[in-house]
Amino acid sequence: MKAAPFAYCRPDSVDEAVDVLAGGDAKVLAGGQSLVPVLAMRLGRPGTLVDITRLPGLDSLVIEDGQLHVGAAVRQRTIERSAHVASVPLVARALPFVGHRELRSRGTVCGSLAHADPAAELPAVAACLGASVLVRGPRGDRVVDAREFVTGAMTTAVGPDELVTGVRFPVARDGEGFGFAEIARRHGDFALAGVAVRVRGDEATLAAFGVSDRPVVRELTLDDPTESALRPTTDALAADIVDTDGDAHGSRGYRARLLGVLAARELARAHREAHR
Amino acid sequence: MSRAPARDEDAALVTGAARFLDDLDPLPGTLVAAVVRSPHPHARIRSVDLEAARAHPGVAAVIGPDEVRAAVRPFPLSTSTPMPYLPSAVDVARYVGEPVAVVVASDRYVAEDACELVEVDYEPLDVVVDTRAALTDEAVLLHPEAGTNIATDRTFSFGDVDGAFERADHVVRGEYTFPRYSSVPMECYGVVAHWGVETVEVWANFHGPFTMVPVAAGALGVPVSRFRLHVPADIGGSFGIKSGIYPYVVLMALASRHAGRPVRWTEDRVEHLLASSSGAGRVMAFEAAVSSGGAVEALRVDLVDDVGAYLRPPEPSTLYRCFGNITGAYDVPAVGIRARAVVTNRAPTGLNRGFGGQQLYFGLERLMDAVAARTGLDVAEVRRRNLVRSFPHRTPTGGLYDSGDYPGALDLLLAKGGYDELRSRQVQARAEGAYYGVGLALVVDPSGTNIGYVGLATPAPERKPGRDKSGSTEIVRASVDLQGVVTVLLGSVPQGQGHATVARRVAAARLGLPVEQVRAVVDMDTASTPWTVTSGSYSSRFAPLVTSAVVAAVDRLAETVWAGASVLLGVPPEGLELADGSVRDPASGASCLFRHAAGVVHWDPGSLPAGAPARLATEGEFVPPEAVAATAEDRINSSLCYGFVAEMVGVRIDPDTLVVTLDRVATVHDAGTILDPVLLEGQVLGALVHGLGGAAYEEFRYSPAGQPTSATFLDYLCPTSAETAFDLVSDHVSSPSPLTPLGAKGCGEGSSMSLPVAYANAVADALAPAGVAIDSLPLHGSVIHELLCERTSGL
Ligand SMILES: Cc1cc2nc3c(=O)[nH]c(=O)nc-3n(C[C@H](O)[C@H](O)[C@H](O)COP(=O)(O)OP(=O)(O)OC[C@H]3O[C@@H](n4cnc5c(N)ncnc54)[C@H](O)[C@@H]3O)c2cc1C
């Protein structure tokens, strides 16, 4: 379990980082919490690692234009402990489920998005909220809608010569309610199934994770927002969304069951919150 | 807040000062090894090309099948079935992760780079992964020369089994499956080996039993006297798993011989989960002949262990370790047993905390619930009616239960654990449409193995006279230094249990010394530390055996100290007493300091009374009574002591998510005399959590094609502190053993044996209204969901 040989480079600017990436056979190194195990098991062997954690400008964590801007070098733990996190309640509720505290003090928010594990919390939160992912490459800057960001298991719209520089989460508005829940085998494990939910009036957006190769977003109208009344709808939704063979930790059927239950619970909760 | 640590070992452990194998650097110029492993569960090795790896810069040596074949003899096995076992695959690889070659290089990175250059041409063969499939004639043979995959098949009958079944009012039967899992020590295997001029010298975090030392030396073709093993004082856990390290000891010794330098190999976590060791998987059938009043008159037990690709010693001992207590806590006069072990294309198995007990009691205690259901009795009541009540108790299989109060322990469990309260929670939960269940397990907890049981794998007529095995001797060395401080030297190879703490207190109490005047040193160097073939840290032997040898050793020192004091006090040594750091003459009240009495022996032995002992460095041994070889009728008292555990689990199952929550765990232990309540509590907790791992989280799974699917911590899930915040009630009864000088019995494994089945019984009880049968582990939401679905679709 030792990595194959690689070159390590710590550029001084984002542009220099993009240049190195453009040279090919290079990979961004952020918090390393997913990448380093991949290297150690020799499941990946990039020629060069481009460490972006100390790049000037990527550490910004600010609210501007109704958006929480999270730079690519910002650790999950930093935002979890920042006063800003309250402005995006879904991020605040999801972060404690992202692995363990020790991992979060190194892992970055953008790294989690870029890694795109199908069971990861943050890509689902970003998709639910319609966050914007900021990407820079040799052809300049572009903005990718979080709902189009993940294109499959561990694959995203970011090209090999591009870099995620940040993500912008819309700040919660009055009259919005949120719900977040997941079930994992143990505390800190990747979810067998989970939901992130936002409700405005009777309109709900739900993002399911752990049940397909990427977060699955659905819009719903809540006619009767009680949990029991929602169950038939969410059970049908779950049967439709779940698109995984499952494994020993959670069969396909079990994941669908969990999704139906969690979706109804969290939709009801978010609706109550929105109408407080 | 400041509190003295509970154990002498703790300060070093919590400050990072402890030195584990990988922290040691005993020899200059040590190189580092990495192992090439088979990616196939079963494949013929057509050819191996080591040249590119050998040519890689930084590589000192590469060994493969040719080198192993030329220099290593197959390990001696416990049965005569021809299933030769070598430390690495030579012609055929039989499980994923089996070593095929070893690369020795300047560092681990280079070694792993060169491993990728080893070219192995494999011809994949058919696989047999399932235990039941391995029994059939259609299954591919792992060892064709054996003509079968059944490594051992023995039947035993004690008492009038058939008669009891004919007379029975009820015959209750169940079939059960027990999974493979480990104890997952924090520290993986580690070896430093040096093929020296005179001796093969090895450092390894092996913790015995030392029967493996002659096995390893034999494989290398060197006498034990030229095979020197050092075991570090700090081992980062094992719970049995590390006694499977010896093939690597042999492999690294051979690698060192080829490299001409000492070689270090530190197993990484993937290697560990893939190919170190685990408890044996078991499929089993249990059958009880039951009277209308619920008395179990006879048992039929059919056990089939999956031991993996080889019958690696000490297997098939999972079958036999609990032979003397196979009837558990119950007074059952007759028992019929069939014991089989099969080889499959999975990693070899071995010791795992509870060794054989969790498998046995999973069947027996699930069956007792079935007996309760059939007779309409409460699960506690049916057990109570069958309990052993008088001691010593001879079991039909030859066990001699030394002491106990099983009904008392059960009553304490039900009262303290709140059995009635949990039952009312169940009534309430069911009224609300929720699932709640209560599960019990009563288990006899054997400690201080009598290795005589190893003989059972061989039919009695083939056991050669004069070649019998028995016993479990321990030896401890003790001395007094020039300042009167007593040193107790333990070769007990602890893995974190706190042996030194307890030995120190036992010695101090025995000699009437403050603990500050005693130190306990842990060391194992097979060239200088006293050891026996049964030495080691396994089968909970420290409390019953090692502390007994401590007593014997320091009692001998006391005789010498009395002699020294007799010079100072001017009285005969007989009748002197040791207390408060002094030696006192009870007749006159005169006394002298212990250290002054010892000083006389050190400096002026000429003054001692004629014939008085003058040794302040001595050894004491404990040879357990009642540990004799198996009889011609195959009866065996397989352990010295038999403790007891009564356990109760309450579970709540969310009817929507099916997530199982431990509502309460209550446990009552009888470990005889309690030597240290804090350490005992630590053992109880540790064993409970280990049991919880097997019950709900951990399992080494294989795909039908033989690929392991739980070879990283992403898939092999151990309980963490977050999973252990359950409501725990723990208490003790104490029935001192008449067979050990302090009355202590072992206590390191109990709940590892009981918790898995107590948990299963609770889940089964919770789901009883849904009509779901529980006959295997682990049990968690997804498993329960599938069981409920099967149940619904089957209707
Ligand atoms: C035991 C354990 C449990 C975990 N549990 C969870 C969990 O429950 N939920 C969860 O979501 N995650 C979990 N993780 C993963 C963890 O959250 C990672 O921190 C996260 O997925 C990646 O963030 P990172 O900054 O460490 O990225 P890295 O590991 O450095 O990189 C991950 C991948 O993303 C790419 N990348 C990173 N940053 C950028 C960027 N700015 N632009 C382009 N590409 C980039 C890298 O090249 C690499 O391919 C767990 C990890 C471990 C080890």
Side-chain angles (χ1 to χ4, degrees), chain A residues 1-5 41-42 45 183 185-187 189-190 231 247-251 253-254 257-258 261 265, chain B residues 108-109 112-113 116 268-269 654-658 696-697 701 715 717-718 722-723 780-782 785-786:
Chain A
M1 254 215 288
K2 299 287 183 206
M41 292 197 221
R42 301 193 176 209
R45 46 178 81 214
I183 301 257
R185 286 287 306 278
R186 300 172 308 178
H187 167 78
D189 281 340
F190 278 107
R231 266 301 283 283
D247 56 22
H249 305 301
S251 63
Y254 183 54
R257 174 188 198 118
L258 291 179
V261 172
R265 282 185 191 169
Chain B
R108 181 71 180 243
Y109 287 87
E112 290 195 17
D113 292 346
E116 295 185 333
D268 68 32
R269 187 58 68 184
D654 182 313
D656 292 322
T657 63
L658 303 180
Y697 297 99
R701 293 178 307 276
D715 281 306
L717 308 183
C718 312
E723 282 70 52
H780 53 86
S782 186
H785 171 82
E786 294 305 319

Side-chain angles (χ1 to χ4, degrees), chain A residues 21 26-37 49 52-53 58 72-76 97-100 103-104 106-117 119-123 149 156 158-159 162-166 182 186 188-191, chain B residues 713-714:
Chain A
L21 290 171
K27 213 136 181 50
V28 173
L29 172 68
Q33 297 304 294
S34 294
L35 182 54
V36 171
L49 294 188
I52 60 157
T53 53
L58 291 191
V74 176
R75 317 279 179 179
Q76 295 153 5
F97 289 94
V98 180
H100 306 269
L103 293 161
R104 295 197 295 275
R106 296 211 59 90
T108 61
V109 172
C110 291
S112 177
L113 300 179
H115 188 61
D117 190 289
E121 293 80 7
L122 294 174
F149 182 75
T156 68
V158 182
E162 289 182 312
L163 169 72
V164 174
T165 55
E182 69 172 54
R186 300 172 308 178
D189 281 340
F190 278 107
Chain B
F713 276 158
L714 209 53

Side-chain angles (χ1 to χ4, degrees), chain B residues 393-413:
Chain B
H393 170 80
R394 183 66 76 177
T395 68
T397 45
L400 185 70
Y401 293 176
D402 48 334
S403 63
D405 176 9
Y406 299 175
L410 174 58
D411 289 343
L412 184 65
L413 175 78

Side-chain angles (χ1 to χ4, degrees), chain A residues 34-240:
Chain A
S34 294
L35 182 54
V36 171
V38 163
L39 297 178
M41 292 197 221
R42 301 193 176 209
L43 296 172
R45 46 178 81 214
T48 306
L49 294 188
V50 186
D51 185 344
I52 60 157
T53 53
R54 288 181 231 186
L55 283 185
L58 291 191
D59 58 350
S60 69
L61 179 62
V62 289
I63 295 178
E64 50 189 27
D65 307 332
Q67 310 247 308
L68 176 65
H69 176 97
V70 184
V74 176
R75 317 279 179 179
Q76 295 153 5
R77 190 78 179 137
T78 308
I79 173 167
E80 195 180 348
R81 299 173 77 167
S82 116
H84 291 324
V85 78
S87 64
V88 190
L90 265 188
V91 170
R93 286 183 208 176
L95 276 172
F97 289 94
V98 180
H100 306 269
R101 196 169 46 192
E102 294 80 356
L103 293 161
R104 295 197 295 275
S105 40
R106 296 211 59 90
T108 61
V109 172
C110 291
S112 177
L113 300 179
H115 188 61
D117 190 289
E121 293 80 7
L122 294 174
V125 166
C128 177
L129 296 178
S132 312
V133 186
L134 314 178
V135 177
R136 183 176 304 173
R139 295 161 299 284
D141 287 321
R142 60 192 184 105
V143 178
V144 182
D145 183 338
R147 294 182 189 170
E148 273 138 36
F149 182 75
V150 183
T151 54
M154 319 287 224
T155 44
T156 68
V158 182
D161 55 354
E162 289 182 312
L163 169 72
V164 174
T165 55
V167 57
R168 288 165 178 261
F169 294 100
V171 162
R173 290 187 263 155
D174 286 347
E176 288 183 341
F178 300 92
F180 184 92
E182 69 172 54
I183 301 257
R185 286 287 306 278
R186 300 172 308 178
H187 167 78
D189 281 340
F190 278 107
L192 300 176
V195 287
V197 169
R198 178 180 63 194
V199 173
R200 276 183 198 145
D202 291 332
E203 301 305 316
T205 308
L206 174 149
F209 56 99
V211 292
S212 182
D213 67 345
R214 68 192 87 175
V216 181
V217 178
R218 291 293 158 89
E219 311 281 351
L220 298 87
T221 303
L222 308 180
D223 299 325
D224 179 348
T226 59
E227 185 185 336
S228 53
L230 285 165
R231 266 301 283 283
T233 312
T234 57
D235 284 348
L237 192 75
D240 180 43

